[in-house]
Amino acid sequence: MVDVTLLGCGGTMPLPGRALSALSVRCGGRSILVDCGEGTQAAARAAGVSLAKTDVICLTHFHGDHIFGLPGMLQTIANQGRTEPILLVGPAGLKKMAGLLLALAGPMPFAVHGLEITENTKTLPGPGGLAITAFAADHRVPCLGYAFSLPRAGRFLPEKAKAAGVPQRAWKRLQQGESVSCGGREIRPEIVLGPAREGIKLVYCTDTRPCLSLERAAAGAELLILDGTYATDAEADKAQQYGHSTFGQAAALAAKAGAKRLWLTHFGGALENPAAALPAAQAIFAAAEAGADGKQITLTFPPERDLCGAERF
Amino acid sequence: MVDVTLLGCGGTMPLPGRALSALSVRCGGRSILVDCGEGTQAAARAAGVSLAKTDVICLTHFHGDHIFGLPGMLQTIANQGRTEPILLVGPAGLKKMAGLLLALAGPMPFAVHGLEITENTKTLPGPGGLAITAFAADHRVPCLGYAFSLPRAGRFLPEKAKAAGVPQRAWKRLQQGESVSCGGREIRPEIVLGPAREGIKLVYCTDTRPCLSLERAAAGAELLILDGTYATDAEADKAQQYGHSTFGQAAALAAKAGAKRLWLTHFGGALENPAAALPAAQAIFAAAEAGADGKQITLTFPPERDLCGAERF
């Protein structure tokens, strides 16, 4: 189960009633925060999201609307008693920018580690069993998108466990993916589990033009949260120039990727009513929605299908 | 005429619906901003205050809730086409902190000058004829309060101008405080003006314990905007410990200073309903009010009184 909250949906500058685009991803009681613009901590509070259990902060890039809230957010969670270390992830330049942000924030009661991603794609373990995959976006400066995946092991097959002579008391550990020792032999979980089942994948990518690495990362995602800085096709030239996307481009990408849902975010300041521009995007990808401050969803494992295609109740 | 807007009234961290304490002072179409916490630019927008014509930014001190909004605010006014230089004023340590804040903000299309105040009190010219007086507050770190004064020259006395032989076409310049040349002589405005009249004084001071320098600066002010981090007398020990004031302490100071109005601000996060705690402060100083985000007043020159004490219409 993954709790997803879009903390804000604006770009460039914080507006009254529209916080800057940022995302909270919560799994197993711990969180990942993507971007932290000016006002993100207040937006989180308004959405009922605590940032105190944030273990990883993924920064897309270093434009101010994505990072200027970080010193205040770190001070706030320090005041809330946070002591566990935090991992900062970001593109090339992270060390220099983190140096400035942390110098402003001052000494913290927790360690802050940094991981600068310079590869085109890199996967690292996140909290609650989530895998975090950073991939190159296409903006005017080095910029990353992030995919968050919660894998799901195959179904436990008791008949195979019995055949392998595994006592019932060890079944749970195998179910949880651990190997067990049995009569001097090591029994690996693959032996007693069916094929891996479909997990959960969520992708957040802004600021970006449509690009191949995003298309690849987005394939089959349960939820895409994508750059929708410009509402209309008429603004495609501006989107290209400034390294952003239109609603239509994001919708086309979601359709091509076979995603289940699309939330548009990072609306430009001139875009007062994103919902009004939505029908054109929905004509391309029916499950397109306008992001909103505090928009939430809980993603669960998709229902399984048995061999004859009937849905499991 | 001085337009005063309290942009926020909170302390420590920005909350939904309560921005961090900051002040806009506008005179003659140009502005001074006091403090710029995370969210100050959005609060200004919500209050209908443009920050693009800010010529002076007065920082009280360098705790995050007073400065973390500065990089974003500077970027926003740069995007709005600002090119005129800005003066940053602050206590000891300004150069170092401004270095970090400006490095984060990146190159600006305007010059940013800094004036580090290490004296106990210092007056400098501000926009629109305002005089800015920085004075030492009493916080846990070097901290300044600010008085903003708009002086008012004496009334123009036509009979004295006639007696001095000043032609009527030159009267306006004398009225405006300029000297004029007349028949080879320099006529100074003092000759044709009555005694200086009461001007406007506004004082903003947070974060601070009650102190003598604030008392002195506050004397006779039209409006005091003071630290009211704690509502009750029972919290006086905490106020002392953390370098703040209670409502009662601020009210007592306003009464002693003979101020006309008091707005309390910089409410602690635990103080949910400042208005509920106001009656006790009003028992000490009747014109005490709770600050609120976007609270505005236009201060005008006080009505003049002629010799027999009748009010001028």
Side-chain angles (χ1 to χ4, degrees), chain B residues 247-248 250-252 254-256 259-264 278-290:
Chain B
F247 279 21
K256 194 167 177 186
K260 294 207 184 79
R261 289 179 181 83
L262 166 65
W263 291 1
L264 294 155
L278 210 54
Q282 288 169 334
I284 299 167
F285 182 74
E289 298 175 39

mmCIF file of all heavy atoms in Angstrom, chain B residues 247-248 250-252 254-256 259-264 278-290:
data_model
loop_
_atom_site.group_PDB
_atom_site.id
_atom_site.type_symbol
_atom_site.label_atom_id
_atom_site.label_comp_id
_atom_site.label_asym_id
_atom_site.label_seq_id
_atom_site.Cartn_x
_atom_site.Cartn_y
_atom_site.Cartn_z
ATOM 1 N N PHE B 247 1.805 39.015 25.553
ATOM 2 C CA PHE B 247 0.850 40.074 25.193
ATOM 3 C C PHE B 247 0.898 41.196 26.236
ATOM 4 O O PHE B 247 0.906 42.379 25.904
ATOM 5 C CB PHE B 247 -0.577 39.507 25.154
ATOM 6 C CG PHE B 247 -0.947 38.780 23.892
ATOM 7 C CD1 PHE B 247 0.019 38.264 23.041
ATOM 8 C CD2 PHE B 247 -2.288 38.606 23.563
ATOM 9 C CE1 PHE B 247 -0.333 37.585 21.880
ATOM 10 C CE2 PHE B 247 -2.658 37.935 22.397
ATOM 11 C CZ PHE B 247 -1.678 37.423 21.569
ATOM 12 N N GLY B 248 0.928 40.801 27.501
ATOM 13 C CA GLY B 248 0.891 41.780 28.590
ATOM 14 C C GLY B 248 2.118 42.678 28.585
ATOM 15 O O GLY B 248 2.016 43.892 28.818
ATOM 16 N N ALA B 250 3.970 43.436 25.965
ATOM 17 C CA ALA B 250 3.882 44.350 24.816
ATOM 18 C C ALA B 250 2.888 45.475 25.113
ATOM 19 O O ALA B 250 3.133 46.642 24.787
ATOM 20 C CB ALA B 250 3.471 43.577 23.558
ATOM 21 N N ALA B 251 1.783 45.119 25.744
ATOM 22 C CA ALA B 251 0.765 46.130 26.072
ATOM 23 C C ALA B 251 1.314 47.145 27.067
ATOM 24 O O ALA B 251 1.077 48.355 26.933
ATOM 25 C CB ALA B 251 -0.486 45.450 26.622
ATOM 26 N N ALA B 252 2.043 46.665 28.057
ATOM 27 C CA ALA B 252 2.625 47.574 29.057
ATOM 28 C C ALA B 252 3.612 48.524 28.387
ATOM 29 O O ALA B 252 3.669 49.720 28.702
ATOM 30 C CB ALA B 252 3.313 46.757 30.151
ATOM 31 N N ALA B 254 3.556 49.498 25.236
ATOM 32 C CA ALA B 254 2.788 50.458 24.413
ATOM 33 C C ALA B 254 2.210 51.568 25.290
ATOM 34 O O ALA B 254 2.213 52.747 24.908
ATOM 35 C CB ALA B 254 1.678 49.726 23.662
ATOM 36 N N ALA B 255 1.723 51.190 26.473
ATOM 37 C CA ALA B 255 1.147 52.187 27.395
ATOM 38 C C ALA B 255 2.226 53.157 27.860
ATOM 39 O O ALA B 255 2.038 54.378 27.855
ATOM 40 C CB ALA B 255 0.495 51.474 28.580
ATOM 41 N N LYS B 256 3.372 52.606 28.244
ATOM 42 C CA LYS B 256 4.466 53.433 28.750
ATOM 43 C C LYS B 256 4.977 54.382 27.660
ATOM 44 O O LYS B 256 5.362 55.525 27.937
ATOM 45 C CB LYS B 256 5.596 52.514 29.214
ATOM 46 C CG LYS B 256 6.639 53.199 30.057
ATOM 47 C CD LYS B 256 7.531 52.169 30.735
ATOM 48 C CE LYS B 256 8.627 52.851 31.539
ATOM 49 N NZ LYS B 256 9.588 51.890 32.082
ATOM 50 N N ALA B 259 1.950 55.179 22.944
ATOM 51 C CA ALA B 259 1.616 54.892 21.538
ATOM 52 C C ALA B 259 0.111 55.016 21.343
ATOM 53 O O ALA B 259 -0.667 54.977 22.300
ATOM 54 C CB ALA B 259 2.088 53.490 21.176
ATOM 55 N N LYS B 260 -0.288 55.166 20.072
ATOM 56 C CA LYS B 260 -1.728 55.261 19.811
ATOM 57 C C LYS B 260 -2.360 53.901 19.568
ATOM 58 O O LYS B 260 -3.507 53.672 19.934
ATOM 59 C CB LYS B 260 -1.967 56.162 18.579
ATOM 60 C CG LYS B 260 -1.567 57.623 18.846
ATOM 61 C CD LYS B 260 -2.382 58.576 17.955
ATOM 62 C CE LYS B 260 -1.935 60.009 18.149
ATOM 63 N NZ LYS B 260 -0.675 60.327 17.422
ATOM 64 N N ARG B 261 -1.620 53.024 18.893
ATOM 65 C CA ARG B 261 -2.167 51.693 18.567
ATOM 66 C C ARG B 261 -1.087 50.644 18.783
ATOM 67 O O ARG B 261 0.097 50.917 18.586
ATOM 68 C CB ARG B 261 -2.548 51.592 17.087
ATOM 69 C CG ARG B 261 -3.740 52.365 16.643
ATOM 70 C CD ARG B 261 -3.926 52.144 15.137
ATOM 71 N NE ARG B 261 -5.064 52.894 14.639
ATOM 72 C CZ ARG B 261 -5.016 54.166 14.304
ATOM 73 N NH1 ARG B 261 -3.881 54.841 14.409
ATOM 74 N NH2 ARG B 261 -6.104 54.772 13.856
ATOM 75 N N LEU B 262 -1.531 49.425 19.072
ATOM 76 C CA LEU B 262 -0.609 48.295 19.184
ATOM 77 C C LEU B 262 -1.188 47.115 18.412
ATOM 78 O O LEU B 262 -2.346 46.736 18.615
ATOM 79 C CB LEU B 262 -0.444 47.898 20.666
ATOM 80 C CG LEU B 262 0.219 46.539 20.939
ATOM 81 C CD1 LEU B 262 1.676 46.522 20.476
ATOM 82 C CD2 LEU B 262 0.143 46.200 22.442
ATOM 83 N N TRP B 263 -0.372 46.549 17.539
ATOM 84 C CA TRP B 263 -0.730 45.272 16.900
ATOM 85 C C TRP B 263 0.246 44.218 17.433
ATOM 86 O O TRP B 263 1.465 44.406 17.367
ATOM 87 C CB TRP B 263 -0.573 45.323 15.379
ATOM 88 C CG TRP B 263 -1.555 46.199 14.660
ATOM 89 C CD1 TRP B 263 -2.555 46.956 15.204
ATOM 90 C CD2 TRP B 263 -1.618 46.419 13.247
ATOM 91 N NE1 TRP B 263 -3.233 47.627 14.221
ATOM 92 C CE2 TRP B 263 -2.684 47.316 13.005
ATOM 93 C CE3 TRP B 263 -0.878 45.949 12.160
ATOM 94 C CZ2 TRP B 263 -3.024 47.757 11.716
ATOM 95 C CZ3 TRP B 263 -1.212 46.372 10.874
ATOM 96 C CH2 TRP B 263 -2.278 47.261 10.668
ATOM 97 N N LEU B 264 -0.295 43.124 17.904
ATOM 98 C CA LEU B 264 0.554 42.022 18.369
ATOM 99 C C LEU B 264 0.802 41.076 17.202
ATOM 100 O O LEU B 264 -0.080 40.838 16.373
ATOM 101 C CB LEU B 264 -0.144 41.288 19.510
ATOM 102 C CG LEU B 264 -0.302 42.160 20.762
ATOM 103 C CD1 LEU B 264 -1.472 41.700 21.607
ATOM 104 C CD2 LEU B 264 0.990 42.181 21.559
ATOM 105 N N LEU B 278 -6.827 38.544 24.060
ATOM 106 C CA LEU B 278 -6.636 39.978 23.909
ATOM 107 C C LEU B 278 -7.190 40.826 25.071
ATOM 108 O O LEU B 278 -6.572 41.840 25.440
ATOM 109 C CB LEU B 278 -7.263 40.415 22.584
ATOM 110 C CG LEU B 278 -6.649 41.593 21.867
ATOM 111 C CD1 LEU B 278 -5.156 41.398 21.644
ATOM 112 C CD2 LEU B 278 -7.356 41.789 20.531
ATOM 113 N N PRO B 279 -8.340 40.450 25.652
ATOM 114 C CA PRO B 279 -8.906 41.320 26.695
ATOM 115 C C PRO B 279 -7.929 41.652 27.823
ATOM 116 O O PRO B 279 -7.904 42.788 28.306
ATOM 117 C CB PRO B 279 -10.112 40.519 27.198
ATOM 118 C CG PRO B 279 -10.538 39.718 25.996
ATOM 119 C CD PRO B 279 -9.253 39.347 25.307
ATOM 120 N N ALA B 280 -7.121 40.701 28.233
ATOM 121 C CA ALA B 280 -6.158 40.971 29.314
ATOM 122 C C ALA B 280 -5.162 42.042 28.876
ATOM 123 O O ALA B 280 -4.786 42.927 29.666
ATOM 124 C CB ALA B 280 -5.436 39.682 29.702
ATOM 125 N N ALA B 281 -4.721 41.968 27.601
ATOM 126 C CA ALA B 281 -3.788 42.986 27.094
ATOM 127 C C ALA B 281 -4.485 44.338 26.982
ATOM 128 O O ALA B 281 -3.896 45.384 27.280
ATOM 129 C CB ALA B 281 -3.231 42.550 25.742
ATOM 130 N N GLN B 282 -5.757 44.316 26.595
ATOM 131 C CA GLN B 282 -6.502 45.580 26.437
ATOM 132 C C GLN B 282 -6.793 46.243 27.782
ATOM 133 O O GLN B 282 -7.024 47.449 27.843
ATOM 134 C CB GLN B 282 -7.805 45.317 25.668
ATOM 135 C CG GLN B 282 -7.530 45.024 24.191
ATOM 136 C CD GLN B 282 -8.728 44.493 23.440
ATOM 137 O OE1 GLN B 282 -9.624 43.888 24.052
ATOM 138 N NE2 GLN B 282 -8.740 44.677 22.133
ATOM 139 N N ALA B 283 -6.778 45.448 28.843
ATOM 140 C CA ALA B 283 -6.938 46.035 30.180
ATOM 141 C C ALA B 283 -5.721 46.882 30.534
ATOM 142 O O ALA B 283 -5.803 47.810 31.333
ATOM 143 C CB ALA B 283 -7.138 44.921 31.209
ATOM 144 N N ILE B 284 -4.580 46.564 29.910
ATOM 145 C CA ILE B 284 -3.336 47.325 30.136
ATOM 146 C C ILE B 284 -3.213 48.458 29.125
ATOM 147 O O ILE B 284 -2.824 49.570 29.452
ATOM 148 C CB ILE B 284 -2.119 46.377 30.024
ATOM 149 C CG1 ILE B 284 -2.217 45.276 31.083
ATOM 150 C CG2 ILE B 284 -0.812 47.147 30.176
ATOM 151 C CD1 ILE B 284 -1.257 44.124 30.851
ATOM 152 N N PHE B 285 -3.541 48.136 27.854
ATOM 153 C CA PHE B 285 -3.459 49.137 26.780
ATOM 154 C C PHE B 285 -4.680 48.938 25.895
ATOM 155 O O PHE B 285 -4.771 47.958 25.140
ATOM 156 C CB PHE B 285 -2.156 48.952 25.984
ATOM 157 C CG PHE B 285 -1.958 49.959 24.885
ATOM 158 C CD1 PHE B 285 -1.613 51.275 25.187
ATOM 159 C CD2 PHE B 285 -2.136 49.615 23.555
ATOM 160 C CE1 PHE B 285 -1.443 52.216 24.174
ATOM 161 C CE2 PHE B 285 -1.966 50.544 22.535
ATOM 162 C CZ PHE B 285 -1.623 51.853 22.856
ATOM 163 N N ALA B 286 -5.620 49.856 25.985
ATOM 164 C CA ALA B 286 -6.946 49.645 25.379
ATOM 165 C C ALA B 286 -6.890 49.459 23.872
ATOM 166 O O ALA B 286 -7.700 48.728 23.293
ATOM 167 C CB ALA B 286 -7.859 50.825 25.723
ATOM 168 N N ALA B 287 -5.902 50.093 23.205
ATOM 169 C CA ALA B 287 -5.864 50.027 21.736
ATOM 170 C C ALA B 287 -5.001 48.870 21.233
ATOM 171 O O ALA B 287 -4.416 48.947 20.158
ATOM 172 C CB ALA B 287 -5.362 51.352 21.174
ATOM 173 N N ALA B 288 -4.930 47.810 22.029
ATOM 174 C CA ALA B 288 -4.194 46.609 21.595
ATOM 175 C C ALA B 288 -5.081 45.782 20.665
ATOM 176 O O ALA B 288 -6.261 45.583 20.939
ATOM 177 C CB ALA B 288 -3.779 45.778 22.800
ATOM 178 N N GLU B 289 -4.504 45.330 19.576
ATOM 179 C CA GLU B 289 -5.233 44.476 18.621
ATOM 180 C C GLU B 289 -4.369 43.273 18.272
ATOM 181 O O GLU B 289 -3.133 43.352 18.318
ATOM 182 C CB GLU B 289 -5.539 45.254 17.331
ATOM 183 C CG GLU B 289 -6.434 46.462 17.504
ATOM 184 C CD GLU B 289 -6.582 47.251 16.196
ATOM 185 O OE1 GLU B 289 -6.684 46.620 15.128
ATOM 186 O OE2 GLU B 289 -6.573 48.488 16.261
ATOM 187 N N ALA B 290 -5.027 42.202 17.886
ATOM 188 C CA ALA B 290 -4.282 41.033 17.413
ATOM 189 C C ALA B 290 -3.928 41.247 15.950
ATOM 190 O O ALA B 290 -4.788 41.622 15.148
ATOM 191 C CB ALA B 290 -5.126 39.774 17.564
#
